[in-house]
Amino acid sequence: MPTFLSRQQFLRSAALLCAAVAMPAIAAADAFPARPIKLVVPFAPGGNTDVVARLLSQGMSETLGQPVVVENIAGANGAIGASRVAAASNDGYTLLFGTAGTQAINLSLYKNLSQKNLADFEYIALVTSIPNVLVVNEAKTPVKSVAELVVRAREQRAGMSYGSPGTGSTVHLSGELLKSAARLDLVHAPYKGSAPALTDLIGGQIDFIFENITPALPFVQGGKLKALAVTSSERLPLLPHVPTMKESGFPSFVTATWNGVLAPKGTPAAVVKRIEAAALKTAASTEFKTKVAALGGEPRQLDSAAFRNFTQNEFKHWEGIIQAAGLQRQ
């Protein structure tokens, strides 16, 4: 004869089964991390994203008790490195140091990317924001304000050029935003990185650039380049006398790249929480804040939920800039 369980016996058995299923996952999360963690920087070594990633990895290594090793996988405005992380095992041992490019720009500007969509990542923590600065070589472009630059560009009518470290970067799109907002006829000159773009600006080969503050700052402080405006919402402590683009007559002109930690979709919540705590603890430290500020960056501390919401808003922001500029998907 079949044996029937009472309701109480059934519920007890179900609870024991659920506990048995959950125990391996809980044990794995409790043991995390048991080996080194890889933090993928989707750009070449030496840029501001790479520098900030290495600062963050040091603090996270101390908190987690395992090395957090930076690996550079460059290409396609960060899409190659981002796609590899999206396709990696979702165990918390492969992370992405994402940017505005990888998470908010690429999907609007490029087609047929191997990168998965925004929903295919777990958003862990945002740690920095790095604005751009509009700089000129006064010997080539003798202006002292954004207003004078706009007047000069209109008088020249066509051919004024601006550089960038590559198509799809926040530097490129900041130039496109000025072009559409001021209705200018500008020529984009893409380079393979910030160094050659700044070299040509100093050499008089291009007229201006909206460069990330980190690589441009030494040239501004050394007097080789003139800073006309910053693209942050407020003035920067390192350049207190340089106005914002908002102050310069463009009230909606706020652009910046940013850096945050992401993991492949499906990474266990307990593992995400552990990485989030380590990242935010590092980002809140005096040492990290001081070093990021010295680069011209702004330390940020957004947790998983806030970072996800921030990225969704940034995606809409950059999508609007791309559409207003009339840029075609490439």
Side-chain angles (χ1 to χ4, degrees), residues 91-174:
D91 52 13
Y93 289 99
T94 302
L95 306 175
L96 172 68
F97 202 50
T99 68
T102 63
Q103 307 308 126
I105 292 174
N106 286 352
L107 297 179
S108 292
L109 193 59
Y110 298 104
K111 58 185 177 181
N112 300 324
L113 282 177
S114 58
Q115 179 183 349
K116 296 184 179 182
N117 65 37
L118 296 176
D120 284 330
F121 291 93
E122 301 293 345
Y123 290 75
I124 296 178
L126 180 75
V127 296
T128 56
S129 177
I130 301 179
N132 298 322
V133 57
L134 171 54
V135 290
V136 299
N137 175 357
E138 289 186 279
K140 165 72 173 177
T141 310
V143 298
K144 298 186 180 301
S145 68
V146 177
E148 289 184 13
L149 178 67
V150 170
V151 168
R152 183 178 178 86
R154 286 175 177 163
E155 289 176 346
Q156 192 168 319
R157 296 189 179 181
M160 180 172 277
S161 59
Y162 71 94
S164 83
T167 300
S169 63
T170 64
V171 175
H172 166 218
L173 295 181
S174 293

Side-chain angles (χ1 to χ4, degrees), residues 196-207:
L198 288 168
T199 297
D200 269 10
L201 179 62
I202 293 169
Q205 304 303 310
I206 53 177
D207 293 292

Side-chain angles (χ1 to χ4, degrees), residues 66-82:
Q66 287 285 350
V68 178
V69 182
V70 171
E71 179 178 344
N72 298 88
I73 303 177
N77 197 36
I80 293 176

Side-chain angles (χ1 to χ4, degrees), residues 39-61:
L39 180 62
V40 172
V41 171
F43 300 99
N48 56 269
T49 297
D50 180 67
V51 172
V52 175
R54 293 177 190 279
L55 293 176
L56 185 72
S57 67
Q58 293 174 10
M60 289 181 63
S61 296

